[in-house]
Amino acid sequence: MTGVIFDIKRYSIHDGPGIRTTIFLKGCPLSCWWCHNPESQSAFSEVIYRPDRCIGCGACEAVCPVGAIALTQRGYVADPDRCTGCGECARVCPAEAREMIGRVVNVEDILKEIEKDVLFFDESGGGVTFSGGEPLSQPGFLGEILKACRERDIHTVVDTCGFAPREAFEKIEPFVRLFLFDLKIMDPEIHRNFTSVSNELILSNLQWLSDQGAKVIIRIPVIPGVNDNEENMEATGKFLAGLPSRPEVNLLPYHASAREKYRRFGIPYRMADISPSSGERMKELSDRLAQFGLAVSTGG
Amino acid sequence: MNERIERLRKESFEAPVTLDHERAEIVTDFYIENFGKYSVPVTRALAFKALCEKKSIYIGKDELVVGERGPFPKSVSTYPELNCHSLEDLEILDTREKNPYRVFEKCKQVYRDKVIPYWRGRTMRDRIFADIGEEWKETYAAGYFTEFMEQRAPGHTTLDGKFYSKGMEDFKKDIAEAIASLDFRNDPEATRKREQLKAMDITCDAVIIFAERHAELARKMAAEESDPTRRKELERIASNCMNVPRHAPGDFWEALQMYWFMHLGTITELNGWDAMNPGHLDRYFDPFYQKELKAGTITPEWARELLSAFWIKFNNHPAPPKVGVTAAESGTYNDFTNINLGGLLKDGTDGVNDISYMMLEILDEIHLLQPQANIQLSRKNPDRFLKAALRVIRKGYGYPSVFNADTVIEQMIRAGKSVEDAREGGTSGCVETGAFGKEAYILTGYLNTPKIFELALNNGIDPVSGKRIGVETGDPAGFETFEDLYAAFEKQLHHIVEIKVRGNQFIERMYADYAPAVFLSVLTDDCIKNGKDYNDGGPRYNTNYIQCVGIGTMTDSLSALKKHVFEDKTFRMGDVLTNLGKNFEGSEAMRLTFANKTPRWGNDDDYADDIMKRVFNSLFNEIDDRPNTKGGRYHIDMLPTTCHIYFGSITGATPDGRLSGAPLSEGISPVQGADRNGPTAVIKSCGKMDQIRTGGTLLNMKFMPKVLQGEEGLDKLAKLVRTYFRYDAHHIQFNVVDIETLRDAQEHPENYRDLIVRVAGYSDYFCDIGLDLQEEIISRTAQEEV
């Protein structure tokens, strides 16, 4: 079985307990305005080009099987209509000016990669985290790896936006030790406005996970002017306090760190005017949620 | 830090570094009058005694532990009997921009009128260079290896705990017994031994005299002192200096003073490398501390003040300056005193105690250039100890470094030491393993591995000097397989190591015969029992190390040729050689293919890591277990200190894409920027080296302060270290980088590819993120560091 991933990060220390390896799966059903990994949204592999690294050797032009690459004022540019995303150009580029975002891998390869750091997991109480993109957008592939990890006694975390068919959650839930579950906005319409989908499915999945007794940590990206208002905090607090497991909450302050990525990929960045919340503000929000009897932490 | 310690620290920090001519003058006067009257060891011992009797005695205001090698703090002695500075050298030292040594007119005058006229042609250095031979000199000059004993005496030596329960009177008794039991009828060496033992006895008297002169001065100062508290302190200092080192120390304060006199004695006698290392000070001092705590004669605050005052004394002793061309190099004031903390006790139990923690706090608080400290971390030591060390590391000083006590012990057992001696040992200098107080473990020089490989690529010719340095191994353009190439490298390696070791053996005998370390021999088991000098095989163990440099550069170069020339046949060897010769000018695509499209060491990739293992084994097989002249064996170390810079400067372009003159990889760290899979991958790659078979390896890792922030960052770093040590690793140290480094990383990203920064909810490679984000992080860091 194969899947599409766009990155593997070892010594990942902010995505669950201990030292972890995070696998980033490609493809996401949401398109949040503040997305930190815009290159992860599409489900397919793509090649990006960095003219600042290009030495102009022309190896890419020579190797392209469909003749999509030509020398222009901006370097060796690929015609998007002809490019098939095969990645041959990235393979031969000596200067790493062409880079493949996303690659097709099989379960065995991923397992081999994960198992490389098993002593670090053992020593630190860490394991593997699946993030994205949205890992549940490839439920079959994800399920198989998770199952294999559990067979090898590797601790598993899934970092999800919650927007996936219930069957997908049912399939993976037995093999997941911890869910990092994103909860963005409680109002369905505002949610749709900023993420392109309504949150009903997300909330129902969260309710279901909680009912199953799954271990869940809620992660709320605090986006100033979008979800840091009293109404949303109150609705969030009430909803979470009503869940049987009363999950722990982690507030993540928004950072403008993805701006440069948007520029690189030529995607318009809709958050340009927003500045991050102050530490004080984060503390206020954290205190507000704590009033609902929830354990809240900030940062990450 | 209380007011006294703050002031002592400031004084030491701000004192200018000057050159002391007193030692040179006393030694020269002694030799002019006495040379030829006595045997060599007795001459050396009497010269040492003359120093102890005549040198100026200094006791600083408010000092609690007393004694200086020079006439005052940071006045650095010279050793003209080993190598004699010329007037030109003195001029350079006085005026150079970085790390100057102020040379007073009086010093120049003494050198001009007395020291230089007597010693020219008589120094160890002059005599060694006169006889070592042209082949050695050419190879040395071309930069294939360095030679430690060319400027300084054999060293890297560490003292153990014996003199905390034994005074000089006790050592004199041991010496007398050894003399009494000499067998003149059957042992042809008996006469030699008697001379050596007589000399040792003289040095014991000498340090007693030296201490008592301090007592005399302290008494005099006390009599003139108006402040009653200080008067009492001076009286106590006087009584300390009467008791130690004549007798074993009776309490905590005396124990500190005892060590300090031993330190001064050994560094006054000769300028051995790495000054003198005190060993496991925490385990030596803690029993005195606990006893006094129980008796109510000491408080933790007072103990800390004494210990801090003691600590600062090390900083008063910058490294002795070099002579000749190297005097123009900037060098460092650091003389590499490296205190060991933690580890295992002789009986194999946890060695961490109250003083271990106190010393880590003092290291943090005082943070001067010297002394530096390391922790010896055993699996039996608690995580609290590791985290206490990491809290200091996180400040970004680069110390303490972290050693794997269990591996260090296993290395020594492999090299034939008893398990008890191994546990009482540790590491000194940079990372060198040794049995403290029982071993002469001599670093003999660095080996420029990539330059030796360069010989294989040039059929034995050094492309920089154009001279034939190596053997003829054929034109590599004609090599059909990678094996042909590798065999050529091994032949060149054998040739160069032969030259190096022949030189070593000669120099070793010169020191054994003409520059014995008599006082150090008193303090090192079993020199008294054997009636033999430290420099002549007297110690229980006698090890020579050759330190191999550039294994990262070497591995990646071989990997590049294996893949692109022999396997994929992307390039022809002839073209590669031409482009290396032209420093890749006009062949950037080839250079980048080598750099970016090659499996490189440090990424947990077996393709490259297997090549590393092979190179490591070649070095090991070539060097390890060769006999030295003292009954001991050669072993390898994998450390560069700063030699990878020098070696790089005289090595041409290499097939890993490195340009001519650029630094080589350092220690066992991957080539700068070649590791791209994060710290666990680096650790995995380094863990594939069988470090048990070395006498030390060095791994540097860079982190941004933010990655290590909070208790969680600390916990995870602690686990990273523990996991590395599960791979039997020897050492790791952390560079927690500052803004200047980040600026440099922006200008030279190729050197910082492995630099990890905390971005937002995740960490990333600094060089992989955009300029504006880099700027954002830099400004964020600036705020953090205010």
Side-chain angles (χ1 to χ4, degrees), chain A residues 9-11 13-14 16 18-19 90-91 93-96 116-117 119-120 123-124 255 257 260 263-264 300, chain B residues 589 592-593 596-597 604 676 679-680 683-684 716 719-720 722-723 726-727 753 758 760-761 763 768 770 772:
Chain A
K9 272 206 166 29
R10 295 163 70 176
Y11 198 64
I13 57 173
H14 314 296
I19 295 172
R91 189 182 64 76
C93 174
E96 300 189 315
K116 279 183 171 175
D117 278 357
L119 278 195
F120 295 89
E123 189 69 44
S124 69
H255 281 281
S257 53
E260 201 274 333
R263 189 179 310 154
R264 201 195 303 157
Chain B
L592 289 173
T593 302
N596 293 328
K597 299 288 171 182
D604 193 11
R676 298 179 183 184
T680 62
I683 277 175
K684 286 285 302 291
K716 292 187 178 175
K719 295 308 177 191
L720 189 75
R722 289 282 195 189
T723 313
R726 281 177 78 165
Y727 287 101
R753 292 300 277 264
R758 178 103 168 103
S763 298
D768 279 359
D772 47 358

Short mmCIF file of all heavy atoms in Angstrom, two decimals, chain A residues 9-11 13-14 16 18-19 90-91 93-96 116-117 119-120 123-124 255 257 260 263-264 300, chain B residues 589 592-593 596-597 604 676 679-680 683-684 716 719-720 722-723 726-727 753 758 760-761 763 768 770 772:
data_model
loop_
_atom_site.label_atom_id
_atom_site.label_comp_id
_atom_site.label_asym_id
_atom_site.label_seq_id
_atom_site.Cartn_x
_atom_site.Cartn_y
_atom_site.Cartn_z
N LYS A 9 10.09 14.56 9.75
CA LYS A 9 10.96 15.30 10.65
C LYS A 9 11.29 14.45 11.86
O LYS A 9 10.39 14.02 12.59
CB LYS A 9 10.27 16.59 11.11
CG LYS A 9 10.52 17.75 10.18
CD LYS A 9 10.39 19.07 10.92
CE LYS A 9 10.95 20.25 10.14
NZ LYS A 9 10.92 20.17 8.69
N ARG A 10 12.61 14.23 12.03
CA ARG A 10 13.05 13.49 13.22
C ARG A 10 13.40 14.50 14.31
O ARG A 10 13.56 15.67 14.04
CB ARG A 10 14.23 12.61 12.84
CG ARG A 10 13.81 11.52 11.85
CD ARG A 10 14.98 10.89 11.13
NE ARG A 10 15.80 10.04 11.97
CZ ARG A 10 16.83 9.34 11.51
NH1 ARG A 10 17.14 9.37 10.21
NH2 ARG A 10 17.55 8.60 12.31
N TYR A 11 13.54 14.02 15.54
CA TYR A 11 13.71 14.92 16.70
C TYR A 11 12.64 16.00 16.68
O TYR A 11 12.89 17.19 16.81
CB TYR A 11 15.09 15.56 16.77
CG TYR A 11 15.40 16.11 18.15
CD1 TYR A 11 15.50 15.26 19.24
CD2 TYR A 11 15.58 17.47 18.37
CE1 TYR A 11 15.77 15.75 20.51
CE2 TYR A 11 15.86 17.98 19.64
CZ TYR A 11 15.95 17.10 20.71
OH TYR A 11 16.24 17.59 21.96
N ILE A 13 9.94 17.65 18.65
CA ILE A 13 9.77 17.68 20.11
C ILE A 13 8.54 18.48 20.54
O ILE A 13 8.36 18.76 21.72
CB ILE A 13 11.03 18.20 20.83
CG1 ILE A 13 11.43 19.59 20.34
CG2 ILE A 13 12.19 17.23 20.65
CD1 ILE A 13 12.57 20.21 21.14
N HIS A 14 7.71 18.86 19.59
CA HIS A 14 6.52 19.64 19.98
C HIS A 14 5.23 18.97 19.53
O HIS A 14 4.18 19.59 19.54
CB HIS A 14 6.59 21.04 19.38
CG HIS A 14 7.91 21.68 19.54
ND1 HIS A 14 8.45 21.99 20.77
CD2 HIS A 14 8.85 22.05 18.64
CE1 HIS A 14 9.64 22.53 20.60
NE2 HIS A 14 9.91 22.57 19.33
N GLY A 16 3.71 16.00 20.67
CA GLY A 16 3.36 14.87 21.52
C GLY A 16 4.48 14.58 22.49
O GLY A 16 5.51 15.27 22.48
N GLY A 18 7.72 13.14 24.52
CA GLY A 18 9.04 12.60 24.20
C GLY A 18 9.60 13.06 22.86
O GLY A 18 9.12 14.01 22.26
N ILE A 19 10.63 12.35 22.44
CA ILE A 19 11.27 12.63 21.14
C ILE A 19 10.50 11.84 20.09
O ILE A 19 10.28 10.65 20.24
CB ILE A 19 12.75 12.22 21.18
CG1 ILE A 19 13.52 13.09 22.18
CG2 ILE A 19 13.36 12.31 19.78
CD1 ILE A 19 14.94 12.64 22.43
N ALA A 90 14.00 17.56 -10.31
CA ALA A 90 14.48 17.72 -8.94
C ALA A 90 15.56 16.69 -8.63
O ALA A 90 16.52 16.98 -7.92
CB ALA A 90 13.32 17.58 -7.96
N ARG A 91 15.41 15.51 -9.20
CA ARG A 91 16.39 14.46 -8.96
C ARG A 91 17.76 14.84 -9.49
O ARG A 91 18.78 14.60 -8.84
CB ARG A 91 15.93 13.15 -9.60
CG ARG A 91 16.76 11.94 -9.24
CD ARG A 91 16.28 10.67 -9.93
NE ARG A 91 16.40 10.71 -11.39
CZ ARG A 91 17.54 10.56 -12.05
NH1 ARG A 91 18.66 10.35 -11.40
NH2 ARG A 91 17.56 10.62 -13.37
N CYS A 93 18.87 18.02 -10.34
CA CYS A 93 19.34 19.39 -10.08
C CYS A 93 20.46 19.38 -9.04
O CYS A 93 20.23 19.04 -7.88
CB CYS A 93 18.19 20.26 -9.58
SG CYS A 93 18.75 21.90 -9.09
N PRO A 94 21.70 19.76 -9.41
CA PRO A 94 22.80 19.69 -8.46
C PRO A 94 22.69 20.75 -7.36
O PRO A 94 23.20 20.56 -6.27
CB PRO A 94 24.05 19.92 -9.31
CG PRO A 94 23.58 20.66 -10.51
CD PRO A 94 22.15 20.23 -10.75
N ALA A 95 22.02 21.85 -7.67
CA ALA A 95 22.01 22.98 -6.74
C ALA A 95 20.80 22.95 -5.81
O ALA A 95 20.62 23.87 -5.02
CB ALA A 95 22.02 24.29 -7.53
N GLU A 96 19.98 21.94 -5.92
CA GLU A 96 18.75 21.84 -5.14
C GLU A 96 17.83 23.03 -5.33
O GLU A 96 17.15 23.49 -4.42
CB GLU A 96 19.07 21.64 -3.65
CG GLU A 96 19.87 20.37 -3.43
CD GLU A 96 20.03 20.02 -1.96
OE1 GLU A 96 20.34 20.94 -1.19
OE2 GLU A 96 19.86 18.85 -1.61
N LYS A 116 14.09 3.83 12.70
CA LYS A 116 15.47 4.31 12.87
C LYS A 116 15.67 4.95 14.24
O LYS A 116 16.74 4.88 14.81
CB LYS A 116 15.81 5.34 11.79
CG LYS A 116 16.18 4.72 10.47
CD LYS A 116 16.56 5.79 9.47
CE LYS A 116 17.14 5.16 8.21
NZ LYS A 116 17.43 6.17 7.18
N ASP A 117 14.64 5.61 14.75
CA ASP A 117 14.83 6.35 16.00
C ASP A 117 14.18 5.67 17.20
O ASP A 117 13.87 6.32 18.19
CB ASP A 117 14.31 7.78 15.84
CG ASP A 117 15.35 8.67 15.17
OD1 ASP A 117 16.45 8.17 14.89
OD2 ASP A 117 15.06 9.85 14.93
N LEU A 119 15.28 3.82 19.55
CA LEU A 119 15.95 3.97 20.85
C LEU A 119 15.66 5.33 21.47
O LEU A 119 15.58 5.47 22.69
CB LEU A 119 17.46 3.77 20.71
CG LEU A 119 18.01 2.35 20.70
CD1 LEU A 119 19.53 2.36 20.92
CD2 LEU A 119 17.36 1.47 21.73
N PHE A 120 15.53 6.35 20.62
CA PHE A 120 15.19 7.68 21.14
C PHE A 120 13.78 7.66 21.72
O PHE A 120 13.51 8.28 22.74
CB PHE A 120 15.27 8.74 20.04
CG PHE A 120 16.67 8.93 19.51
CD1 PHE A 120 17.15 8.18 18.46
CD2 PHE A 120 17.50 9.87 20.09
CE1 PHE A 120 18.44 8.36 17.99
CE2 PHE A 120 18.80 10.06 19.63
CZ PHE A 120 19.27 9.29 18.57
N GLU A 123 13.86 5.77 25.05
CA GLU A 123 14.53 6.52 26.12
C GLU A 123 13.66 7.68 26.61
O GLU A 123 13.68 8.02 27.78
CB GLU A 123 15.87 7.04 25.58
CG GLU A 123 16.78 7.65 26.60
CD GLU A 123 17.36 6.64 27.59
OE1 GLU A 123 17.79 5.53 27.18
OE2 GLU A 123 17.37 6.96 28.78
N SER A 124 12.91 8.29 25.71
CA SER A 124 12.21 9.54 26.05
C SER A 124 10.71 9.37 26.21
O SER A 124 10.01 10.33 26.51
CB SER A 124 12.48 10.58 24.96
OG SER A 124 11.83 10.19 23.75
N HIS A 255 1.53 32.64 14.60
CA HIS A 255 2.78 33.29 14.19
C HIS A 255 2.73 33.58 12.70
O HIS A 255 2.12 32.81 11.95
CB HIS A 255 3.98 32.38 14.44
CG HIS A 255 4.41 32.37 15.87
ND1 HIS A 255 5.16 33.38 16.42
CD2 HIS A 255 4.17 31.49 16.87
CE1 HIS A 255 5.38 33.11 17.70
NE2 HIS A 255 4.78 31.97 18.00
N SER A 257 4.85 33.13 10.66
CA SER A 257 6.04 32.49 10.10
C SER A 257 5.82 31.86 8.73
O SER A 257 6.78 31.54 8.04
CB SER A 257 6.53 31.43 11.08
OG SER A 257 5.47 30.56 11.40
N GLU A 260 6.52 33.74 4.40
CA GLU A 260 7.56 33.59 3.39
C GLU A 260 7.28 32.39 2.49
O GLU A 260 7.53 32.42 1.29
CB GLU A 260 8.91 33.45 4.09
CG GLU A 260 10.09 33.78 3.21
CD GLU A 260 10.56 32.58 2.40
OE1 GLU A 260 10.35 31.42 2.84
OE2 GLU A 260 11.12 32.81 1.31
N ARG A 263 4.89 33.24 -0.20
CA ARG A 263 5.56 33.98 -1.27
C ARG A 263 6.28 32.99 -2.19
O ARG A 263 6.20 33.07 -3.40
CB ARG A 263 6.55 34.97 -0.67
CG ARG A 263 7.13 35.93 -1.67
CD ARG A 263 8.10 36.90 -1.01
NE ARG A 263 7.51 37.52 0.17
CZ ARG A 263 8.24 38.00 1.19
NH1 ARG A 263 9.56 37.90 1.16
NH2 ARG A 263 7.67 38.55 2.22
N ARG A 264 6.99 32.05 -1.55
CA ARG A 264 7.78 31.10 -2.32
C ARG A 264 6.89 30.26 -3.24
O ARG A 264 7.26 29.98 -4.38
CB ARG A 264 8.54 30.18 -1.36
CG ARG A 264 9.74 29.50 -1.95
CD ARG A 264 10.23 28.36 -1.09
NE ARG A 264 10.54 28.77 0.27
CZ ARG A 264 10.56 27.94 1.32
NH1 ARG A 264 10.28 26.65 1.15
NH2 ARG A 264 10.85 28.37 2.52
N GLY A 300 3.79 25.92 22.43
CA GLY A 300 3.93 24.69 21.66
C GLY A 300 4.42 25.04 20.29
O GLY A 300 4.71 26.19 20.01
N ALA B 589 28.68 22.75 -11.36
CA ALA B 589 27.67 21.69 -11.38
C ALA B 589 28.24 20.40 -10.80
O ALA B 589 27.57 19.68 -10.07
CB ALA B 589 27.16 21.47 -12.80
N LEU B 592 28.56 20.90 -6.97
CA LEU B 592 27.27 20.81 -6.29
C LEU B 592 26.68 19.40 -6.34
O LEU B 592 25.99 18.97 -5.42
CB LEU B 592 26.29 21.83 -6.86
CG LEU B 592 26.60 23.28 -6.50
CD1 LEU B 592 25.67 24.24 -7.24
CD2 LEU B 592 26.47 23.51 -5.00
N THR B 593 26.96 18.70 -7.42
CA THR B 593 26.50 17.30 -7.48
C THR B 593 27.17 16.51 -6.36
O THR B 593 26.51 15.75 -5.64
CB THR B 593 26.84 16.68 -8.84
OG1 THR B 593 26.23 17.48 -9.86
CG2 THR B 593 26.32 15.25 -8.94
N ASN B 596 25.62 17.89 -2.99
CA ASN B 596 24.18 17.75 -2.74
C ASN B 596 23.59 16.41 -3.16
O ASN B 596 22.50 16.05 -2.71
CB ASN B 596 23.40 18.85 -3.46
CG ASN B 596 23.69 20.22 -2.88
OD1 ASN B 596 23.94 20.35 -1.69
ND2 ASN B 596 23.66 21.24 -3.72
N LYS B 597 24.25 15.71 -4.02
CA LYS B 597 23.65 14.49 -4.54
C LYS B 597 24.43 13.25 -4.13
O LYS B 597 24.45 12.25 -4.84
CB LYS B 597 23.55 14.58 -6.08
CG LYS B 597 22.69 15.73 -6.57
CD LYS B 597 21.21 15.46 -6.32
CE LYS B 597 20.37 16.69 -6.62
NZ LYS B 597 18.96 16.48 -6.35
N ASP B 604 22.36 9.20 8.97
CA ASP B 604 21.87 7.86 9.29
C ASP B 604 21.62 7.08 8.00
O ASP B 604 20.62 6.37 7.88
CB ASP B 604 20.59 7.99 10.15
CG ASP B 604 20.19 6.67 10.80
OD1 ASP B 604 21.00 5.73 10.77
OD2 ASP B 604 19.07 6.58 11.32
N ARG B 676 21.37 16.65 7.31
CA ARG B 676 20.12 17.36 7.05
C ARG B 676 18.91 16.63 7.62
O ARG B 676 17.78 16.97 7.31
CB ARG B 676 19.94 17.54 5.56
CG ARG B 676 21.06 18.39 4.99
CD ARG B 676 20.95 18.58 3.51
NE ARG B 676 22.08 19.34 3.03
CZ ARG B 676 22.21 19.72 1.78
NH1 ARG B 676 21.27 19.42 0.89
NH2 ARG B 676 23.27 20.41 1.40
N PRO B 679 19.13 16.04 14.61
CA PRO B 679 20.12 15.56 15.58
C PRO B 679 20.08 14.05 15.82
O PRO B 679 21.11 13.46 16.09
CB PRO B 679 19.76 16.31 16.87
CG PRO B 679 18.40 16.87 16.67
CD PRO B 679 18.19 17.01 15.20
N THR B 680 18.91 13.43 15.69
CA THR B 680 18.90 11.99 15.95
C THR B 680 19.66 11.24 14.85
O THR B 680 20.31 10.24 15.11
CB THR B 680 17.47 11.42 16.07
OG1 THR B 680 16.78 11.63 14.84
CG2 THR B 680 16.69 12.10 17.19
N ILE B 683 23.32 11.57 15.53
CA ILE B 683 23.68 10.68 16.63
C ILE B 683 23.74 9.23 16.15
O ILE B 683 24.64 8.48 16.52
CB ILE B 683 22.68 10.90 17.78
CG1 ILE B 683 23.15 12.11 18.57
CG2 ILE B 683 22.52 9.66 18.64
CD1 ILE B 683 22.22 12.54 19.66
N LYS B 684 22.79 8.85 15.32
CA LYS B 684 22.81 7.49 14.79
C LYS B 684 24.08 7.24 13.98
O LYS B 684 24.74 6.21 14.13
CB LYS B 684 21.58 7.24 13.91
CG LYS B 684 20.27 7.06 14.65
CD LYS B 684 20.11 5.70 15.35
CE LYS B 684 20.21 4.51 14.42
NZ LYS B 684 19.07 4.41 13.51
N LYS B 716 13.97 16.81 26.90
CA LYS B 716 14.19 16.13 25.63
C LYS B 716 15.65 16.13 25.24
O LYS B 716 16.16 15.17 24.68
CB LYS B 716 13.28 16.74 24.57
CG LYS B 716 11.83 16.37 24.91
CD LYS B 716 10.78 16.72 23.92
CE LYS B 716 9.44 16.21 24.47
NZ LYS B 716 8.29 16.57 23.67
N LYS B 719 17.25 13.40 27.15
CA LYS B 719 16.98 12.08 26.57
C LYS B 719 17.79 11.87 25.29
O LYS B 719 18.20 10.75 24.98
CB LYS B 719 15.48 11.93 26.26
CG LYS B 719 14.61 11.95 27.51
CD LYS B 719 15.10 10.94 28.55
CE LYS B 719 14.29 11.00 29.82
NZ LYS B 719 14.92 10.23 30.91
N LEU B 720 18.02 12.94 24.57
CA LEU B 720 18.86 12.85 23.37
C LEU B 720 20.27 12.39 23.78
O LEU B 720 20.87 11.50 23.15
CB LEU B 720 18.92 14.22 22.68
CG LEU B 720 19.58 14.26 21.30
CD1 LEU B 720 18.64 13.68 20.26
CD2 LEU B 720 19.93 15.68 20.91
N ARG B 722 21.13 10.81 26.58
CA ARG B 722 21.08 9.44 27.11
C ARG B 722 21.03 8.43 25.95
O ARG B 722 21.63 7.37 26.03
CB ARG B 722 19.86 9.27 28.00
CG ARG B 722 19.94 10.00 29.34
CD ARG B 722 20.82 9.26 30.33
NE ARG B 722 20.64 9.74 31.69
CZ ARG B 722 21.41 9.38 32.70
NH1 ARG B 722 22.43 8.55 32.52
NH2 ARG B 722 21.19 9.86 33.91
N THR B 723 20.29 8.77 24.91
CA THR B 723 20.19 7.82 23.80
C THR B 723 21.53 7.72 23.07
O THR B 723 21.97 6.62 22.71
CB THR B 723 19.08 8.23 22.81
OG1 THR B 723 17.91 8.56 23.53
CG2 THR B 723 18.79 7.11 21.83
N ARG B 726 23.58 5.40 24.78
CA ARG B 726 23.23 3.99 24.61
C ARG B 726 23.98 3.38 23.43
O ARG B 726 24.11 2.17 23.32
CB ARG B 726 21.73 3.83 24.40
CG ARG B 726 20.95 3.91 25.70
CD ARG B 726 19.46 3.83 25.48
NE ARG B 726 18.98 2.49 25.24
CZ ARG B 726 17.70 2.13 25.32
NH1 ARG B 726 16.79 3.04 25.65
NH2 ARG B 726 17.32 0.91 25.07
N TYR B 727 24.43 4.25 22.52
CA TYR B 727 25.23 3.76 21.39
C TYR B 727 26.72 3.71 21.74
O TYR B 727 27.57 3.74 20.84
CB TYR B 727 25.00 4.64 20.16
CG TYR B 727 23.64 4.44 19.53
CD1 TYR B 727 22.61 5.33 19.75
CD2 TYR B 727 23.40 3.34 18.70
CE1 TYR B 727 21.36 5.15 19.17
CE2 TYR B 727 22.17 3.15 18.12
CZ TYR B 727 21.14 4.05 18.36
OH TYR B 727 19.92 3.84 17.79
N ARG B 753 23.97 24.40 7.64
CA ARG B 753 22.78 23.68 7.20
C ARG B 753 22.14 22.88 8.33
O ARG B 753 20.96 22.56 8.27
CB ARG B 753 23.14 22.74 6.04
CG ARG B 753 23.51 23.48 4.77
CD ARG B 753 22.41 24.37 4.25
NE ARG B 753 21.44 23.64 3.46
CZ ARG B 753 21.47 23.55 2.14
NH1 ARG B 753 22.37 24.19 1.45
NH2 ARG B 753 20.56 22.84 1.51
N ARG B 758 13.96 27.14 16.66
CA ARG B 758 12.57 27.01 17.05
C ARG B 758 11.82 28.10 16.28
O ARG B 758 12.15 29.28 16.40
CB ARG B 758 12.46 27.24 18.55
CG ARG B 758 11.07 27.18 19.07
CD ARG B 758 10.87 25.85 19.78
NE ARG B 758 9.62 25.90 20.54
CZ ARG B 758 8.50 25.32 20.12
NH1 ARG B 758 8.48 24.68 18.97
NH2 ARG B 758 7.41 25.39 20.84
N ALA B 760 7.83 28.26 15.43
CA ALA B 760 6.60 28.60 16.14
C ALA B 760 6.19 27.36 16.91
O ALA B 760 6.76 27.04 17.92
CB ALA B 760 5.54 29.03 15.17
N GLY B 761 5.24 26.63 16.37
CA GLY B 761 4.87 25.38 17.04
C GLY B 761 5.80 24.26 16.63
O GLY B 761 5.56 23.10 16.93
N SER B 763 10.09 23.23 15.11
CA SER B 763 11.47 23.66 14.89
C SER B 763 11.83 23.42 13.45
O SER B 763 11.28 22.53 12.80
CB SER B 763 12.41 22.85 15.78
OG SER B 763 12.11 23.08 17.12
N ASP B 768 16.77 26.91 5.97
CA ASP B 768 15.66 26.55 5.09
C ASP B 768 14.51 27.54 5.17
O ASP B 768 13.57 27.46 4.40
CB ASP B 768 15.13 25.15 5.44
CG ASP B 768 16.00 24.06 4.83
OD1 ASP B 768 16.96 24.42 4.12
OD2 ASP B 768 15.72 22.88 5.06
N GLY B 770 12.76 31.46 5.28
CA GLY B 770 12.96 32.69 4.51
C GLY B 770 13.66 33.78 5.29
O GLY B 770 13.74 33.74 6.52
N ASP B 772 12.85 36.87 5.86
CA ASP B 772 12.10 37.68 6.83
C ASP B 772 11.88 36.91 8.14
O ASP B 772 11.93 37.48 9.22
CB ASP B 772 10.78 38.18 6.24
CG ASP B 772 10.00 37.11 5.53
OD1 ASP B 772 10.50 35.96 5.46
OD2 ASP B 772 8.90 37.38 5.05
#
